[in-house]
Amino acid sequence: DKPIFMSRDDIDRNSPSRKDGIDVCHETHLRYSYCAFLQNLGTRLELPQTTIGTSMVLCHRFFVRRSHACHDRFLIATAALFLAGKSEESPCPLNNVLRTSSEILHKQEFAFLSYWFPVNYP
């Protein structure tokens, strides 16, 4: 029902975020913020730039169909980086991705991550 390819104008006018009251300027800021987060996360995890770029594309594709108001952009970005690592054949253990993401977002290590996942968790 929805077109596969959309122009920039279509995205700006018909974005699900627009229906939730987020204007184009604010949505652009949100997009830049999760891209900067992904660049920081991928760099800290020593992932190739192609993997980081793929994760950004995955996030953009997600938010073309879903609203920024209904989803945590950093959670989606973290999942996208994990999936991009697998698809680009540069996988990173989930525990490392989650720990580093938490450190960036909260500027500290989360002690409960070690409780959720054993030290040698793949």
Side-chain angles (χ1 to χ4, degrees):
D1 295 53
K2 292 186 178 184
I4 295 173
F5 298 105
M6 299 170 65
S7 70
R8 176 64 188 206
D9 190 47
D10 290 337
I11 293 170
D12 286 345
R13 280 183 301 153
N14 303 320
S15 170
S17 297
R18 212 71 61 251
K19 295 172 186 159
D20 289 334
I22 298 174
D23 65 9
V24 176
C25 184
H26 188 230
E27 185 175 21
T28 301
H29 170 72
L30 295 173
R31 290 182 186 276
Y32 278 117
S33 70
Y34 69 69
C35 285
F37 170 76
L38 283 168
Q39 185 67 46
N40 189 2
L41 179 59
T43 302
R44 284 189 184 203
L45 291 169
E46 299 177 355
L47 294 172
Q49 190 60 45
T50 54
T51 302
I52 297 168
T54 300
S55 67
M56 291 178 189
V57 170
L58 291 173
C59 276
H60 287 321
R61 287 184 179 181
F62 180 87
F63 284 115
V64 162
R65 304 281 185 215
R66 303 281 184 242
S67 173
H68 281 89
C70 300
H71 301 281
D72 180 1
R73 65 189 183 277
F74 298 117
L75 179 63
I76 299 301
T78 302
L81 187 75
F82 178 71
L83 291 174
K86 290 187 170 293
S87 71
E88 293 293 331
E89 297 186 9
S90 55
C92 189
L94 179 60
N95 196 27
N96 294 356
V97 175
L98 293 175
R99 180 180 292 118
T100 307
S101 174
S102 294
E103 288 172 1
I104 292 169
L105 289 174
H106 303 287
K107 308 275 192 274
Q108 63 184 1
E109 275 191 51
F110 271 95
F112 67 82
L113 280 178
S114 61
Y115 173 75
W116 283 356
F117 302 109
V119 172
N120 60 352
Y121 189 80

